Structures are given as C-alpha cells and as structure tokens.
Amino acid sequence: MNFDFSEKEREKKSALSGWLGKEFPEPFPPLDRNRLEEWTKDFLHKAASLDFLLTTGNDPALCRETPYSEMLLSVLLGEELARFTPSLALSLETSCRLFGWLLARYGDEDQRRRYLLPLQQGTLLGTVALAESSANFPDTGVRTEGRKKDGVFLLRGKKTLVVNAPLADCLAVSGVTDEGRAFFLLPRRSPGLAYEGPLDTLGFQHLFLAHLSLDDCQVAATDVIGPFADDQPFHELSLRQQLILACVSLGILEKALFGAQKRAGEKRENGKPLRAQQEIGFKLAEMFTLYQTAQWLLYRAAWMLENTIPEAEITVQAAKVFITEAAEEVARSAMQIAAGEGFLSGNELEACFRDARFGPVSGETSEVLRMRIAEACLAKYQTR
Amino acid sequence: MDFSFTEEQLLFKEQVLKFARKEIVPRCQEHDLKGEFDFQSFRKLGEFGLLGLHFPEEYGGSGADVVTATLAGEALGEAGVDGGLTLSYGAHTYLCADTLFRHGTEAHKKRYLPKLISGEWIGCMGLTEPGAGSDVTSLATKAVKDGDSYILNGSKMFITNGPIADVAVVYARTSQGKERHEGISAFIVEKGDPGFTPGNKLNKMGVRTSYTSALFFEDCRIPADRLLGKEGEGFWMSMETVEWDRSTLIAPFLGGMAFVLEKACRYSLERRQFGRLIAEFQAIKHKIADIRIFYEAARSLVYRIAWCKDQGRPVNHLEAAVAKLFIGDWSLIPANHAVMIHGGYGYCHEYDVERTFRDSRLAPIGGGTSEIQKMIISRLMS
C-alpha cells in the first residue's frame, strides 16, 4: 500500500501543470466557436512537445499486454487537463485514451502507422462513435451494420452524441458484421458520412459534439478492427470511458470548489470575508469532503482496473456515478456561494454548473450504472 | 500509488470475519436488546488477539500495523458485530491502552497493558465533560499536586466503558496557560481510587451494549507517578487519539456498510411482492447500488489515515476531518436504505438492520461531531 504518487506520476502531473500554465495564461480565454477547430489543432500540435500527453495509455507494447495499462496516470493527466478546461480534456482523452488506445490494443501495424502515429505526433484528432439512439453502449443491440460487398464493407446506420465530431480526422465507428462486432475506421470526409452538428449543448462550450449518419460508407477491409468473437473490446472501452468521464468531472469539481473558495475569500459581508460566515464555511467543507472522497475513489478505481483487481469493474462504475454526481453537487453549491454573480454567463462557476450536468448523463447514465452495480452485488448472493 | 493490501493483511481480515461471525455475532442481538455489555465476547476479542493487535509482543500484543488493525475493525463491522461492542473495543484499545503504551512509564506498561490486552481489565478514556464536548480545551476538571499525590476534582460525561472500567486515562487541567489548550495533563485513575465514582450507565438509542456514563472525581487522590508524560502534555496526547479515531475506530462503521449491503441483497432476494422478488424492482436496485457506491467511496479515506500512521507521519487534520465527516454523515444512508428495503421488518428489533441503523447514528456524533469536522475543514482549507 502506498498513497503517495510515484516519481513518474508526480513528474508527469507536474510537467503537464507547468506546461499548461506556461503556454496558456489563466484564466482560460473565451474562445470563438468559429476558431475552435484552429485552436484545437494548434493545441494538439503544441501538446506533442510533451513526450507523454498524447502517448500515455496508447503504447502498443503495453496495451497488447493488458487492456488497462497506465490507467492511473491517464486519469491523473485527465484531471489536470479538465481543471484547465473540461472541453479540451474530454476531447483529448477521447482521442488519445479511447481512439488511440483502440488502435494500440487491437489495431494492426498498418493501422497504427496510419492513425496512431499521427495522433501521437499531434497531427490527428480521433474519436470513437459508440452510442445510438436505441442502443446504449456497450450493450449489444447496435444497429449500425457493416455489410461486406466486393471486398469492402458498406457501413449503414446512425450514431449519436459523438465527441470531437465533426472535427475528428478519423472516427472508429462500432458496428455489426456477419462475423461479429467490429470497429470501422472512417476518415473525416468519407463519402456517405454526414454530420448533424456541431450540436448546441448546455455545457462544454468548447467541445465538438455531433450525430452521424452513415449511408453505405465504404470501408476497406484494412480499415476494420475486428470482427471480434466476443464483446470484450467493447467492454474494455466502456470501462475506460467511464473513468475518463469521471476524471473530467473531477476536474470540473475542482474548478468549482476552488473558484468558490476564492470568491468566498474575496467577497466581504458584514465586515468579514464570506468564508468566515459559518454557513458558507460549512458549505465549503462539504464540497471539499466530496472532492477528496471523489479523488481517492477515482485513483483507487483506476489503480484497480490497471492491476486487474477483482471487482474493479464495480468500483469503476461506482466512481463514475459518485464523481459525476459529486461534481454536480459541488458546482451547485459553488454557484450558491457566488450568489447572483454565479448566475451570470461568462462566470467560471456558471460554466462549471452547466459542464457538471454532462457527467451523469454521458456514457452510461447514473441510472444504468446503478442497475449494473446492484445486479453485480445481487449476483454474489444469488449463486450461493 | 498502490492500493493493495498484503496477503497477510487480507488473510487476517478473513480470519477476523470468520471468528466474529461464529463467536460474537450470535450473541449480539440478545445483548443489544437488553442493553447489556457482553463480557464474554469482550474476553473473546482478547483471546483472539484483537485487544492488543498493534502492541509489542512483550506486552502480550501482536505487533500488527495500523492498516491491519483498521481491517480488523472493518471486519468486525462487516461480520455484523454490534456497534456497542466495537465501540467498547475501540475506546479500550486505542483511546486508553494505546495512550498508556505511548506515554506511560515502563512500570505503567507492565502493570496495565497485559491485563488490558487480554481483556481481563477494561479501559476507558475520560476527556469529554458536561461543559466540554467538541470544545475539549474548555475542560474544567482540575488536578492539583499535593506532595506525592494529585487531587482531582470535576466530572466527565459520555465516557464509553465508564461504569465497568478498571482503569481510565483522565484529562484534567493542572494549570491555566496562555492558550486554552495549555495546562491540560493526562492521569491514570484506577477503579477504587478514593474519590472516584463512575455514574450510572446511560440509556442510549444505539450502541447499547457499550456502557456509557459520567465519571465523578471528588477530591480523588492518586499517586503523583500516575501522571502520564509531563504536566501540560495532555492536549497533544488527546490529539494523538484522533488518528485512531479516524482509522481503527471508524473502521467498523465502514464494515457496517458492507454488512447492510449483504443484508439488503439477501433480503431482497427472498422477499416477494406483486409476484416477483423485490430485487427485481429498480427502486430496490438503486438503493442497493447506493449502499455499494458509498462503501466504495469511503474506503480509501479510512485506509489512507491508517497508512499514514504506519508511515509515522503526523496526523493530517484536514484529511482526518474529511474521513470522519464522510463516514459519519454518509454511513447513515446505507443503514437507512437497508431499513427501507426491509420495509416494516426493518423497523423491528428482530432484524439486524434495525440495530445497525440505530448504531450508525453515533457516527456523526461521537469523536467530534460532523459540525466540528466542518469547522476544522473550513479553517484548514483557507
């Protein structure tokens, strides 16, 4: 047992924090949505100068050995990025730690050369397209279908709420074939691929999100990952996604907490700082308690997954539910502390409030995960 | 980072679970309903080695680390040992015996530790007073040196094991310092010391098998060599117990969450309503999930405090308060959910979850209320 960061973890976390502080002056500038693509690509290009940000969690040698290599380090970096800007964190984590990981673990050498290498060099943004309106990933029931015809696959179906679309240079789209489920690698402007979006959303203003329509998109056999005999790769991807959503929510939680703390220290009421009012001090204490609890739960869940500890899956699911909901609670309290000012658009705490709403509804919702957690708990006693 | 336990730690936790389920748990309900301390079970804890887990072997202990001791506490809760017995065990071992071990002379250790570790004697700690609860620095019990003796006057309140304690570590003011925490000293008081009288046991809502009472000191004369450490060091000694309180003492509440999870699962797989098992209803599943989620969330907070103590690090009061606040406030939710899942039966003494619900109500009160934890966190945050 060791609750301290390892040398490597401390070093990378601190390097990322230092780099972000140096490259991007605080507070994070408001971005013009029309210039977001340019800004994101520029960020990726700069990020490549850090030798780990785009490569952690997608080293092919490590990924081939275990599905969850560098999971703890991944969430540490994700947390750091999300504290900086949640939109960018989710975008980059989806690209590097989901799309990149998929290629590293299941892609062939040619696919890795064509897609993973540019991703790691900061010249490619990727994504995974999983959800459908009638199929909650990772359950089977996916309707997107890849039919084989004349040596190529024709991909047909719809995907919803795809992070990074339509900006992503390459999309890994999940679908079914006659031989099992697979991922189809689609370049951004493939014939037959249409985007609905970028979608207007409550929060995550700097994130691209779109629905996809796939109308007989041609995919060469060399751009297919799979088909797989079982759902294991999808399951692995789902667990990774849950941790990413949890770590991004933790970053939002931290932003809200420390933003509110700063506000409570600056504003004075009745001749003393707001934080000296017991009700405000207690609220901050409750927020801080959720913060520390969420942080340790995230680290432990990531560590358990990385080390294939029994029941890691339940812990990851518990972490996703607890942390995303804690972020909402803390963001709500932060806005309350900031009072009317926290309600104004452009205020950091107002953005946290809107951003935090995404966690519990994204990926697998809190309700779905609670069902899964309960079923796993009940199964332990059903079999005896 | 590494969140793993050693094989020995896990094996020991398993052994404690088995022992508790076989030897202790079958007796809990009867004693809880009668509100009686279970002397037999307490001695069995001693025979099993739990009362001296972390003490050196020379005094009858096992030399275990704090993480192991915390896992043992968690196992007792997980097995379904009532909160009264685990509270008595915690107060005896970590608040009384450990203070004697850390600050007593060799003669003190030889006299008290073997008897406390075996369970032959029962120990308690006298800190809280009628007018000094969460604000311990306002304690008013006085100790005045008189030749080779100290004379104690005052009273203590809500003392776990008070009516049955053979030995007590008692905090009293020997002088008035500049700061309120200065001038507090710790003394050893034995049953039968002239002027020392324990009060009658209080009738409590939960943790009913632990006896709680006032302690009265009326010109209580004790030998001067019963002073622990030096005069004025008492406040810091009492603060050391915080680490134990936030790890080993709250560990049974953590285990209690696992216990009610098991009870809730088993019951919902037996109980049928509307032609199907209640486990099939989403509302029940969501409650079961919440119990598990809070249990998972709480674990690392407790283990971390224990691990830091094993590393010899001074207590981090911010983290300790966070652990206490979270376990205190949030352990009520699993217990409440378990009662709700059991419906009307959950309200009846016959069902363990009813007792756990009552016992868990102490978590946000004992050892520093949740409000005090919030004050500490709020102050240290800034």
Side-chain angles (χ1 to χ4, degrees):
Chain A
M1 187 167 267
N2 186 349
F3 279 80
D4 290 338
F5 290 126
S6 69
E7 190 82 5
K8 183 182 171 188
E9 288 156 357
R10 196 178 300 115
E11 185 191 307
K12 307 281 188 212
K13 208 170 138 62
S14 148
L16 176 57
S17 167
W19 181 78
L20 286 169
K22 192 176 151 202
E23 289 284 335
F24 307 95
E26 297 269 13
F28 187 67
L31 290 176
D32 178 349
R33 205 167 166 91
N34 295 323
R35 293 189 56 211
L36 195 53
E37 175 170 357
E38 182 193 332
W39 190 90
T40 306
K41 297 274 166 132
D42 183 52
F43 180 88
L44 285 177
H45 182 70
K46 286 178 179 163
S49 67
L50 283 173
D51 63 353
F52 56 88
L53 185 55
L54 305 179
T55 56
T56 296
N58 59 37
D59 178 312
L62 295 175
C63 288
R64 298 262 154 170
E65 275 177 35
T66 162
Y68 308 112
S69 67
E70 298 187 303
M71 205 62 237
L72 179 55
L73 183 57
S74 296
V75 299
L76 291 176
L77 299 180
E79 178 191 354
E80 202 68 44
L81 274 174
R83 198 163 30 197
F84 175 60
T85 155
S87 295
L88 180 71
L90 190 54
S91 171
L92 198 128
E93 291 300 309
T94 302
S95 179
C96 298
R97 259 62 87 177
L98 294 182
F99 176 79
W101 166 85
L102 182 66
L103 287 160
R105 178 150 173 84
Y106 291 107
D108 61 30
E109 204 178 321
D110 177 53
Q111 289 165 343
R112 290 202 299 271
R113 181 184 54 75
R114 286 187 290 136
Y115 301 115
L116 183 58
L117 206 59
L119 182 152
Q120 293 176 334
Q121 290 167 344
T123 57
L124 181 145
L125 183 72
T127 192
V128 288
L130 310 166
E132 296 182 11
S133 58
S134 59
N136 208 350
F137 180 79
D139 284 350
T140 50
V142 171
R143 290 189 179 170
T144 299
E145 188 186 9
R147 275 182 302 112
K148 203 166 187 180
K149 191 179 176 189
D150 302 330
V152 296
F153 284 88
L154 295 176
L155 197 58
R156 178 176 277 272
K158 287 181 189 299
K159 292 288 175 185
T160 57
L161 300 167
V162 180
V163 169
N164 288 343
L167 180 58
D169 302 293
C170 185
L171 305 93
V173 180
S174 68
V176 290
T177 72
D178 291 341
E179 298 165 60
R181 292 173 72 183
F183 287 98
F184 300 89
L185 299 171
L186 278 180
R188 180 183 183 180
R189 293 193 175 87
S190 297
L193 169 61
Y195 298 95
E196 185 191 332
L199 301 165
D200 285 329
T201 52
L202 173 70
F204 281 84
Q205 297 298 295
H206 304 138
L207 181 73
F208 278 97
L209 201 67
H211 300 319
L212 309 182
S213 282
L214 305 145
D215 187 9
D216 283 341
C217 289
Q218 280 197 20
V219 183
T222 51
D223 276 338
V224 177
I225 300 178
F228 299 100
D230 58 30
D231 287 338
Q232 188 58 27
F234 300 87
H235 185 67
E236 291 167 2
L237 196 65
S238 168
L239 289 175
R240 295 182 70 89
Q241 187 190 41
Q242 285 171 38
L243 278 183
I244 285 172
L245 290 164
C247 80
V248 171
S249 287
L250 181 62
I252 297 168
L253 187 160
E254 289 175 37
K255 257 179 100 122
L257 166 64
F258 295 115
Q261 187 187 13
K262 186 165 174 263
R263 176 81 191 134
E266 288 167 353
K267 190 174 178 185
R268 297 180 77 84
E269 288 283 352
N270 300 324
K272 52 183 180 177
L274 206 53
R275 68 161 184 249
Q277 316 285 341
Q278 196 166 58
E279 181 57 31
I280 300 295
F282 276 25
K283 207 180 275 297
L284 285 168
E286 288 161 9
M287 292 158 74
F288 188 84
T289 298
L290 283 174
Y291 160 56
Q292 278 217 328
T293 308
Q295 198 173 41
W296 285 117
L297 178 57
L298 176 69
Y299 296 165
R300 185 165 147 268
W303 174 87
M304 286 176 75
L305 204 55
E306 185 173 325
N307 290 280
T308 56
I309 304 295
E311 303 209 332
E313 189 174 330
I314 297 187
T315 310
V316 168
Q317 291 165 340
K320 199 297 189 157
V321 175
F322 183 84
I323 297 165
T324 56
E325 292 184 357
E328 262 201 290
E329 174 69 25
V330 169
R332 194 193 65 77
S333 295
M335 183 182 273
Q336 196 66 28
I337 288 171
E341 282 180 39
F343 193 66
L344 297 178
S345 295
N347 186 297
E348 180 188 56
L349 299 180
E350 183 259 0
C352 287
F353 183 82
R354 287 185 288 104
D355 289 347
R357 194 64 202 88
F358 186 58
V361 300
S362 59
E364 291 183 271
T365 63
S366 288
E367 287 72 17
V368 169
L369 287 176
R370 279 193 167 89
M371 295 295 284
R372 293 194 197 286
I373 293 166
E375 279 155 15
C377 292
L378 288 162
K380 191 173 167 187
Y381 302 102
Q382 269 167 330
T383 52
R384 287 184 181 176
Chain B
M1 268 181 193
D2 176 1
F3 294 86
S4 62
F5 298 105
T6 64
E7 274 186 39
E8 291 77 14
Q9 286 168 338
L10 291 174
L11 188 65
F12 186 70
K13 185 186 175 192
E14 201 55 38
Q15 287 172 344
V16 176
L17 260 174
K18 280 185 188 160
F19 155 76
R21 282 178 177 145
K22 187 176 173 214
E23 304 286 345
I24 311 288
V25 172
R27 302 168 54 83
C28 289
Q29 189 186 54
E30 182 193 342
H31 285 81
D32 173 69
L33 293 181
K34 288 181 182 168
E36 282 180 358
F37 184 79
D38 186 353
F39 287 94
Q40 183 179 320
S41 288
F42 193 81
R43 291 214 180 88
K44 279 190 176 172
L45 294 180
E47 286 164 19
F48 193 80
L50 289 174
L51 301 180
L53 213 47
H54 72 287
F55 295 113
E57 289 179 19
E58 60 185 294
Y59 302 113
S62 311
D65 54 59
V66 184
V67 171
T68 300
T70 300
L71 286 176
E74 185 183 349
L76 292 176
E78 192 173 334
V81 174
D82 69 277
L85 188 63
T86 57
L87 179 67
S88 286
Y89 148 69
H92 165 96
T93 306
Y94 301 112
L95 306 186
C96 175
D98 186 73
T99 307
L100 292 171
F101 168 65
R102 282 179 201 284
H103 303 287
T105 62
E106 196 53 36
H108 291 147
K109 293 178 197 174
K110 283 189 172 146
R111 174 166 170 75
Y112 300 112
L113 288 181
K115 286 177 180 160
L116 289 170
I117 287 169
S118 69
E120 183 187 342
W121 275 22
I122 294 172
C124 73
M125 177 185 80
L127 178 64
T128 302
E129 297 186 359
S134 297
D135 176 17
V136 295
T137 58
S138 62
L139 67 81
T141 297
K142 284 197 168 61
V144 178
K145 192 156 189 199
D146 181 30
D148 288 342
S149 305
Y150 278 97
I151 300 171
L152 276 63
N153 276 291
S155 64
K156 298 289 173 183
M157 192 57 179
F158 299 124
I159 307 305
T160 301
N161 296 340
I164 49 174
D166 299 282
V167 57
V169 171
V170 175
Y171 293 89
R173 192 170 286 287
T174 44
S175 64
Q176 200 68 49
K178 276 186 198 165
E179 301 289 334
R180 290 171 72 202
H181 70 266
E182 290 176 357
I184 296 173
S185 305
F187 299 92
I188 305 168
V189 177
E190 291 185 16
K191 184 164 81 177
D193 279 337
F196 168 47
T197 321
N200 294 327
K201 72 169 174 128
L202 299 167
N203 198 5
K204 308 190 296 293
M205 167 185 171
V207 291
R208 289 172 55 79
T209 68
S210 75
Y211 285 172
T212 309
S213 74
L215 303 178
F216 300 104
F217 305 93
E218 199 175 338
D219 289 333
C220 170
R221 183 177 288 272
I222 58 171
D225 66 6
R226 299 253 206 96
L227 170 71
L228 282 166
K230 293 179 187 154
E231 282 192 14
E233 291 180 346
F235 177 77
W236 301 110
M237 292 180 198
S238 74
M239 286 297 103
E240 282 177 17
T241 64
V242 167
E243 291 164 285
W244 290 113
D245 192 89
R246 294 350 175 209
S247 53
T248 50
L249 263 93
I250 59 173
F253 289 107
L254 181 66
M257 294 191 202
F259 175 66
V260 296
L261 176 65
E262 179 180 346
K263 289 286 168 188
C265 287
R266 287 190 189 283
Y267 183 77
S268 59
L269 288 166
E270 288 167 8
R271 172 81 170 164
R272 301 184 78 86
Q273 287 288 280
F274 303 104
R276 53 182 172 153
L277 293 171
I278 64 167
E280 293 171 28
F281 291 105
Q282 286 194 349
I284 299 293
K285 282 184 177 170
H286 277 211
K287 282 190 168 57
I288 287 172
D290 277 342
I291 298 173
R292 180 64 186 255
I293 290 166
F294 299 150
Y295 172 58
E296 291 297 337
R299 293 173 81 174
S300 289
L301 296 175
V302 180
Y303 301 151
R304 179 172 159 75
I305 303 290
W307 177 80
C308 284
K309 191 163 172 61
D310 274 332
Q311 304 310 303
R313 295 182 188 174
V315 63
N316 180 323
H317 287 284
L318 181 61
E319 289 173 358
V322 163
K324 174 65 171 63
L325 178 60
F326 189 81
I327 300 280
D329 280 3
W330 292 68
S331 70
L332 300 176
I333 300 171
N336 190 43
H337 278 356
V339 168
M340 288 308 294
I341 288 171
H342 282 72
Y345 295 107
Y347 198 66
C348 298
H349 287 320
E350 187 186 344
Y351 285 76
D352 293 327
V353 292
E354 184 266 351
R355 187 189 67 232
T356 312
F357 176 77
R358 285 186 285 107
D359 288 352
S360 67
R361 196 60 193 85
L362 180 69
I365 300 172
T369 62
S370 290
E371 286 68 25
I372 289 296
Q373 307 315 314
K374 287 178 194 174
M375 280 173 66
I376 294 169
I377 295 166
S378 155
R379 195 174 64 233
L380 294 178
M381 267 180 83
S382 51

